Amino acid sequence: MYSVSKRLLNCSVQYLSLPFGDFVNMQLAQGCAAADIYASVPHMLVDRYDCAECADCAGLARRRGLRTPVFSVKPYGYSLFFEPYSEFGEASIAYYRNCVRAARVFGAETLCIYPANGIWDEEPERLRDNAAVALRYICAEAASLGIRIALGTALETDAPVLRSYLELRRMLLRVDSDTLGALLDTHVAYQAGETPKQWMADLGDRVFHIRLADGRNNGYRAWGEGCYPLAETLADLASSGYRGLMTLYCPNERYSNDPESADRANRRAVELAEERL
Amino acid sequence: MKLRRAQIAGMNQHYRHYRYEAYLESMCACGITSLEMWCGSPHFLLDSDGYSNCGQYRRMAEERGLRYVSLTSPSMQWQYQFAAASPEQRRKSLRYFTNGVHAAAELGCKVMAINSGWGYANEPREDAFARSAEMIASVAETAKEDGVLLALETLQPMESNLVLTISDAKKLISMVNHPFVKLMIDNVAVGVAGETAEQWFTEFGNDIVHCHFIDGAPSGHMAWGDGEYPLEKTLAAFTEHGYEGILTAELGGRYLNDPFSAERRNMSVLERFLAD
């Protein structure tokens, strides 16, 4: 029988006020054997030059028995939308290629990229051209290392393009790489007026990863604290044929004082909703 | 209670959805002549190994009758901060902030805004204070060579767990103990801490060399008029203490979609207090 609950991962994005080792220990204490790693300081520094710090964190997770099949990128000031051969464009491509290498260090199969930092006074088609070039470079690196790229859509506050699953589908066709697929983030999708059902019907097996998140107009929330229909979401995902992992993704300062309790409550809400289906 | 126009500086942080040239044009349209360079994407690339061509940015400003007066090396947008813990993050953060000082000097700035950084939630606060003080002191040596003052601002509790109040700032300044490390008022951080500009001047006097001057409720980094702070009373604290430094309009993320009208509204409020 299909189970969303058995596909859930927690994510380190909620644990950035604590050392990485504490995050690992708290996952194991919750009985989690695997997690989605959010590549950010203070846990690990990845920049356009290298990802040297990742080896220590990956080794720590491995020694303690936490698998890390999914790796998520923090955008910082980098962007897929910059002119690829400009100062910022070259820095951004170099950064994302290092993120691919960092994902490899963690033994991850999937690297999640959120397309942040759009430019509003540039022609939208130019932004799409730039993103396609950047993604080809990143996908080439990913293909050589056996990593899949899951590309999300952007909130309307973060980019003027790539904000719908239809636009994302066109981008996947344009880049034309088996390495590139879609990242369904339920908060971003619902904010765009879309549903997981629409995403799965349109993109199907091109959905490489799912972030299962509640939210409101001002950001992510743990399930039960936002405005999205959990039971309907779970039912739609169960009937979609999706067989991959799902991250309980909840970057919000309100959970930073006690991320472990927030994780437990978030997961419990999903489990209870699924039991009632 | 009149300010000079050159004391009001614009800042490019809330123009980050637009090209840098659009920001400069907005400054001209609003009658702003002084600039604080926010070294963030997509405008000015500053990191551990280098920074954008300052000569090019100076030319762009000078062609429009603008000049740089101060610089901020952002510690939220990038990977770097003053209280970083791991050796690799400390090494790269030190180089980043040192590069920030060099960029400030090349742009002609007299002041670089800094903050304490932040520590882990579950470590002794003293450990993070010590790391912050050590790195600020190291950057200050470069600042001394380049003739740039470092101006320490307080942060809000959602941003840091180190220097949030007057007493925190006194403690860190005392630990660093360097003549090129001074203080600055960030209205919003000061207001969120329940403090006033008057209290800051009473405590630090002429060691206050810079200011991020914005409205708030109490948080928010708002254009004057959008928040709740008393403008005339706040300005009086500056003028009565003979403050001759810069007041930078560090407007926040709420204005990213239309920074142009926010800048116009902010400046139209401040125009009433300008002598020229």
Side-chain angles (χ1 to χ4, degrees), chain A residues 17 22 47-48 53 77 120, chain B residues 17 41 47 86 89 92 121-122:
Chain A
S17 63
D22 290 24
D47 61 16
R48 64 169 162 148
E53 272 199 329
W120 266 254
Chain B
H17 283 176
S41 161
D47 66 20
S86 80
Q89 289 175 37
K92 288 195 172 181
N122 62 351

Side-chain angles (χ1 to χ4, degrees), chain A residues 75 79 81 114-120 153-161 163 188, chain B residues 17 256-257:
Chain A
S79 177
F81 300 117
Y114 174 75
N117 300 321
I119 306 291
W120 266 254
T153 50
L155 290 164
E156 67 175 6
T157 49
D158 288 334
V161 297
R163 299 201 301 214
V188 179
Chain B
H17 283 176
L256 290 176
N257 281 346

Side-chain angles (χ1 to χ4, degrees), chain B residues 139-260:
Chain B
V139 176
E141 280 302 299
T142 303
K144 182 180 174 184
E145 289 166 14
D146 285 7
V148 174
L149 289 175
L150 302 183
L152 176 73
E153 66 176 347
T154 46
L155 294 174
Q156 301 171 64
M158 67 172 121
E159 299 170 315
S160 172
N161 56 1
L162 289 186
V163 173
L164 311 177
T165 64
I166 286 174
S167 73
D168 296 334
K170 275 176 71 177
K171 177 178 171 179
L172 186 59
I173 288 288
S174 159
M175 289 169 77
V176 175
N177 189 28
H178 194 288
F180 275 71
V181 180
K182 303 292 186 181
L183 291 128
M184 61 177 280
I185 290 173
D186 179 295
N187 275 60
V188 164
V190 166
V192 166
E195 299 169 346
T196 64
E198 178 62 36
Q199 288 174 308
W200 271 67
F201 278 108
T202 301
E203 190 65 47
F204 298 118
N206 291 337
D207 279 342
I208 296 173
V209 298
H210 192 58
C211 179
H212 285 162
F213 191 68
I214 52 271
D215 207 349
S219 189
H221 282 77
M222 297 171 179
W224 281 103
D226 288 354
E228 301 292 340
Y229 292 134
L231 175 55
E232 191 160 32
K233 187 175 167 187
T234 306
L235 267 180
F238 284 84
T239 53
E240 286 166 12
H241 287 88
Y243 179 77
E244 293 284 333
I246 296 296
L247 302 166
T248 298
E250 190 197 30
L251 302 184
R254 71 182 54 219
Y255 303 116
L256 290 176
N257 281 346
D258 186 6
F260 311 101

